[in-house]
């Protein structure tokens, strides 16, 4: 079976390194005190543009594109650690497990593999880097993915719609949106599965019991 997990927002906290970078560029942290411990942050996908403006965000991405360590500085998502890594390592024994992410940077695949090993203890992770979120859909199809999680609403709803058009029976697979504050509004796919986090997705799909 082929399993595919998104990284940022599912395993890694993108905000944990992104906000400090934007604050360093501007010389001021424009987020409310205690934001990193607030379970309701961020409440919108483009929180960075709201707080810092498009020009600063653009400068931030220019920095990331030149950096060979930005992605190494991310913290794991709350509740994600070595235990989740052990579960994923266990699944790798009998399944093809991939980590698919839309990222840029110098040696971005190497950075991502290193992060997965350093923070989750995942051995020899299979990392696929795409340019845009919608690049994931044909790859998921080609990989014949049976299990897929992502936190971006457009990615998951787009994948469900891709499946409908391609004749892929979503009820026979496990495709789930990882619940985050910024993806709770505007959900339009009625039968889309939702998981609280990665561990919940693994429990819902009974994968560990079958391994």
């Amino acid at each position: 079976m082929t399993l595919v997990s998104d990284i940022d927002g599912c395993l890694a906290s993108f905000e944990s390194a992104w906000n400090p970078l934007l604050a360093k560029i501007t010389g001021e942290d424009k987020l409310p005190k205690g934001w990193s411990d607030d379970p309701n942050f961020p409440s919108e996908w483009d929180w960075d543009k709201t707080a810092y403006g498009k020009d600063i965000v653009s400068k931030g991405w220019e920095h990331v594109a030149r950096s060979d360590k930005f992605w190494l500085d991310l913290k794991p998502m709350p509740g994600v650690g070595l235990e989740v890594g052990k579960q994923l390592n266990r699944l790798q024994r009998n399944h093809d497990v991939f980590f698919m992410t839309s990222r840029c940077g110098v040696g971005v695949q190497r950075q991502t593999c290193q992060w997965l090993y350093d923070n989750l203890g995942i051995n020899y992770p299979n990392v696929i880097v795409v340019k845009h979120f919608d690049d994931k859909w044909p790859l998921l199809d080609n990989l014949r993915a049976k299990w897929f999680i992502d936190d971006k609403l457009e990615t998951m709803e787009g994948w469900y719609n891709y499946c409908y058009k391609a004749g892929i029976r979503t009820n026979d697979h496990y495709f789930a949106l990882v619940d985050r504050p910024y993806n709770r509004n505007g959900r339009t796919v009625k039968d889309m599965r939702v998981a609280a986090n990665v561990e919940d997705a693994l429990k819902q799909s009974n994968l560990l019991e079958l391994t």
Side-chain angles (χ1 to χ4, degrees):
M1 183 186 297
T2 299
L3 289 68
V4 181
S5 174
D6 176 46
I7 298 178
D8 300 314
C10 293
L11 299 173
S13 170
F14 174 70
E15 298 85 10
S16 65
W18 183 235
N19 184 64
L21 172 60
L22 298 181
K24 183 177 180 180
I25 292 173
T26 61
E28 178 185 4
D29 188 340
K30 296 190 176 184
L31 293 185
K33 191 172 183 179
W35 65 269
S36 60
D37 298 319
D38 184 354
N40 293 314
F41 178 86
S43 60
E44 59 177 314
W45 182 265
D46 291 327
W47 63 269
D48 48 359
K49 294 177 182 176
T50 301
Y52 292 94
K54 292 181 180 180
D55 291 342
I56 296 301
V57 169
S58 179
K59 289 181 180 179
W61 281 116
E62 290 174 6
H63 172 88
V64 173
R66 299 191 302 267
S67 175
D68 62 356
K69 66 176 184 177
F70 172 81
W71 302 105
L72 296 174
D73 293 335
L74 271 62
K75 296 179 180 178
M77 290 290 293
V80 174
L82 293 177
E83 184 57 38
V84 169
K86 287 179 182 178
Q87 294 174 356
L88 293 171
N89 273 331
R90 179 180 163 190
L91 289 170
Q92 286 191 132
R93 298 173 189 167
N94 299 307
H95 303 289
D96 293 321
V97 180
F98 293 88
F99 302 92
M100 193 178 293
T101 181
S102 175
R103 289 178 168 184
C104 65
V106 178
V108 63
Q109 187 181 45
R110 173 192 56 78
Q111 289 187 61
T112 305
C113 289
Q114 188 66 49
W115 187 92
L116 288 166
Y117 179 77
D118 290 346
N119 290 273
L120 306 185
I122 297 175
N123 299 316
Y124 309 107
N126 295 309
V127 172
I128 299 174
V129 180
V130 300
K131 188 174 182 180
H132 298 293
F133 71 88
D134 54 359
D135 293 330
K136 294 182 179 182
W137 306 333
L139 289 172
L140 289 166
D141 190 2
N142 289 335
L143 288 169
R144 300 180 185 275
K146 300 288 187 181
W147 188 96
F148 171 53
I149 59 170
D150 203 296
D151 68 305
K152 187 176 178 67
L153 182 60
E154 291 87 346
T155 300
M156 189 55 67
E157 291 204 333
W159 171 238
Y160 266 79
N161 289 324
Y162 181 104
C163 290
Y164 299 151
K165 293 177 182 178
I168 299 171
R169 294 173 56 86
T170 57
N171 289 336
D172 296 338
H173 305 68
Y174 184 87
F175 306 138
L177 179 74
V178 173
D179 183 56
R180 297 296 310 279
Y182 48 75
N183 65 32
R184 290 172 186 161
N185 294 322
R187 297 177 184 176
T188 60
V189 177
K190 294 182 180 179
D191 59 344
M192 180 174 62
R193 291 186 175 91
V194 177
N197 48 43
V198 178
E199 277 198 299
D200 184 40
L202 293 172
K203 289 177 182 177
Q204 285 187 25
S205 54
N206 298 317
L207 274 176
L208 294 174
E209 295 179 10
L210 300 174
T211 302

